[in-house]
Amino acid sequence: MSKGVEKRPLIFVAHSLGGIVVKDAVNTARAERSHLSPIFPATFGICFLGTPHRGSSKAALAETLSRITQVWGNTPNLQILQALQDDAETLDRIQTTFKRNRLDHEIKIRTFHEGLDYKGIKIVDRFSSTMDLPDEIPTDIPANHVDMTKFNSSTDVDYLRVSNALIRWLTEIEQLEYHAYDLLVSLKEDCLRSLEDNSRHLRLHQVEVAHNSTYSWLFEDSIGFSRWLKRPPHDGDSIFWIKGKPGSGKSTLMKFATQNLETQKLLECSNQMSWSVISFFFHDRGTEVQKTLESLLKEILYQIIKLYPNLIPLVLHLYLNQSTGGLPGSHALKRCTFTENGIWNRETAAKAQQILEAAETAGTKGNGTWPVEDVKMALDIVVLQKKVPINVCLFVDALDEHKGDPRVLLGLLNRLAKQESAGNVYIKLCLASRPEPVFTAGLHSCPELAIHDHTAGDIAIYATDCIKSSLHIYQDTCNLDLLKQLVEEIMHNSNGVFIWVKLVVNELVEGIEDGSNIIQLRKLIDTIPVELNDLYRRIITNRKPAYMLEASIMLQAVLYTRRSLSPEALIAITDVALCPLRHPPHPPHPVSMEVMQQRIMSRCGGLLDIYQSDNGSDNDSGTDSSDPKPSVASESEDSQAESNAFAKLEVEEPRALDTSGEPSDPTESTTRLEPKEYRVQLLHQTFKEFLLSQTESDSIFPPSIPVSESVGCLYMLQFCVYIATEAGGEEVLRFKDLLQDLFFYARQIGWSNENCEIAISEVNKLLPRSSFDSTVFGVAPRTYDGLWIYEYFFTTKYERIDIEPIPDHGQYDLLVTAAEQGFFFYVRNQLLEGLPIEQPGRCPLIISVMDGIHHYIEDFRPGKRVQEAEKLCIDLLEIILAKGANLECTWNSVDPVSALFQIPLYLHIHYICLEWLLIKGSIIKDTIDINNFLRHFSISAYSSAKLLLQNGANAMRLDGFGWYPLFYSIRNGVPNMAELLCQRGADPTRLGNGLNGLEPDTTLLERLDLDLLSTDRSRQIFCQQAVRMHDMLKRYEKHPDTPEMSVDCIVERNTESSGAKIRSWKRLLRSYDVEL
């Protein structure tokens, strides 16, 4: 490419096999780092005429190439054509790579197919000449394959169809300056990246691929699923419900449906358009992002705009708003002009450039984290827009594993399924869950299937294959009649529960390995409980007595850990719990993954599953996760890896705790395993529920072995303390992620009366170490502005910093750290033991306590009593005050009131503590920014803001974004707060950034980013409340000559609104008891 023109947009026009050459050239430019590399980002569009992109099979594609060979057989390229005909896989590879590369950089595509036959046949038929892209527009040219590029005049229909497409592209390019185009591409990539989180779809990779020949019944006409897929989207029934007993194989079926080509073909039959299949699998045993409604919304938005990149400009104003820290002007982009295909014009690009430059100058550039309200708004925009056709089938698995109100989840999914925009957007949803009452009531009118009514044949196939293959390996003969009778017993006893089948088959295979014949296996079947919970109990109680304590430690550690554990970590946690003196039982040595797996298997009877996770992507690392190796099992919903998958892997260095009690063979394989590459989880959700249902009187373990949440957290806490105080530096680095949760486990234990003292004792063990590194635990104490805290003098374990430790302050440093981490039980105990509340050169304890409240309440669950927590917090503050705390103290310009709201949670406990501070005499300083409270919608935030205003907070404080508090009150539709601000001196004509609250038209409303429902009722309600807000502001008007707001203008203007959703005025409407 010539120098200086690297960014000039390129348009390719290719006929027949020339299109394949162009695609391969673009792929090459994308993959290579050479002078050809600029071709890929510069490619604006490709116009394909009669290019064979694909075939219904390799044979069909080869046949198409053969026809082309016959047409152009007299050309010099005959040998190339013949080679392509012999290797249709080459074309398939080129096509697959091109489609994948197009996801990284949007390339405009137009495909034209021949409308007439050549010597009685179509050389490249319509199917082969299309690329199956969501935004593709296939077009017919009334000519045969040879003549479709030969135009007689500029008025020919075929010429006009091609030239008009090219002219539209040229117009778009002319509207852009090159730097503006680059900016758009860059922002679109950044926007996608801000929504991406690979750990959200890790569960899909973990679910086992269906066993051979199973689940094929799903597409039979009698089932109803295929009819639902083929049904036109506007005919209703946009939701299909797959229900099933716990452990019946719902997740495996959902994965089978999402990845089966038949699903795609049947969807395309519904409206003769290309469809995209996307998915989200809830996972209660996974990380937080795998079980929340917010994660579902983000994943849906991410997958849709990645599939349909022309939609990204429609939501860029929301991305810019949060990525620039809410800098004024970013929301204005939503009204800027786009071309037909979603490309910015010059004016829009210039505004975006100004916003980014202003954010850089003001230092307000954010981290790109999307608030959930913005995600909802973006989804509304996407599904209500009329420019880009969308055909999406969304599969959502395990609704019952969602962490939150299931009614809210169902309401959102139902609303999403009903969204249509002028016949342009079609969304189908396939949902899977247990038949719990809430789902039965919410989905009763949807077509459905009960999976456990259809899996008898699958169970027979799976059981037969597993048992038969084991018999052939370990025994010479296999009586097929007896095998059939054995399988029939398994089918009968399973009641359609696949996880039960898997566990039973595993036990039968063990019997075969021990020499049992089929007759003996049938007797064994008679001893196996039919109920799944009874089977779980049997597996555990059949462990060797010497293994029971280890089994309880392992199971409780996995059950109550805050983040997933590697096999190495689980073994180490178990060894520490077994050794009261905290010394490894044997010198550390390399331990193979196979040995660790065998130990876990023997102790827990296969109820813990080891699965592959690319460098810990399920631990919020954000890296891609690869598919686990497929097992020979069909698996109910959750099996993840082959039993022999780890035979050649070893821990990185000889530093791990002993895992077997026997020295390992130094000649073993030295293949290294990254510490986070494998993870351990409970075998199935039903097993997790079984463990959580255990009581002291009904425990699966002997009475001498304690089992409870506090005990499980205690095992984790003991391990964290061991790593922090006795382990070597390499072990600290290896398990650093777990160390960050030390105080989390301490807080959990603190709520247990019987183990609270033990938790306090464990935390005190941090002190004997010559240094205490608080940042290892995810702490940033105010003492040294987030630097290391030392108790005595530094050691070589940690990097030294240029700050002198204070030898006598170690115990106080730990006290402050515990306070800022919300371990108030420890703080209260230590104060009653006589520790001081202040030390020279250190942060006052009351500031640390206020700053730690968000940690103190962050891990509450429904079983924890919030009122009890609030009382304990106030009692602690009373103790600190009784010891002489100065409520006017500061540390680095932060006072107790400011510290209370350092983290913008604004819960009721914050209001309680603020009220306590004010009653005890704290004075509101000018450092308090009331805007921080008013940006949020919670009742507690507004209650705290009201309290602050009543006690002297500045009602006319300008925030970093250029807004006054009154702006946020009007934007969020809270007239009572707006009135209080006006009473405290707020000027309704000064909202910030040049806005006047009493402007005579709807300019104010537009700039406040009010997104309205498009119904007449919502407009009517909005107008009523707008007038009420305006009337209230008029009472505090500083300029009597300001004209009145025109209600007619509001109605007229909002009638034109495409309308997404009332967001900003929602609370205003509710405050007047208006039903939406």
Side-chain angles (χ1 to χ4, degrees), residues 90-114:
T90 301
L91 297 187
D92 187 54
R93 173 189 57 77
I94 293 173
Q95 170 71 351
T96 302
T97 304
F98 180 78
K99 291 177 72 173
R100 183 173 63 248
N101 288 336
R102 190 173 174 268
L103 293 176
D104 297 329
H105 167 60
E106 179 190 353
I107 298 175
K108 304 292 180 184
I109 299 294
R110 284 300 301 268
T111 55
F112 295 89
H113 57 273
E114 57 212 62

Side-chain angles (χ1 to χ4, degrees), residues 398-453:
L399 302 183
D400 45 278
E401 296 187 36
H402 158 246
K403 182 182 178 182
D405 188 340
R407 293 170 184 81
V408 174
L409 173 63
L410 284 176
L412 184 140
L413 293 173
N414 272 299
R415 179 169 168 263
L416 189 63
K418 295 175 181 176
Q419 292 282 17
E420 291 185 9
S421 175
N424 205 41
V425 176
Y426 296 111
I427 299 176
K428 290 189 174 187
L429 281 80
C430 180
L431 312 178
S433 73
R434 299 177 185 180
E436 295 176 354
V438 63
F439 299 118
T440 301
L443 301 171
H444 70 278
S445 61
C446 302
E448 63 182 46
L449 72 85
I451 181 176
H452 47 267
D453 292 337

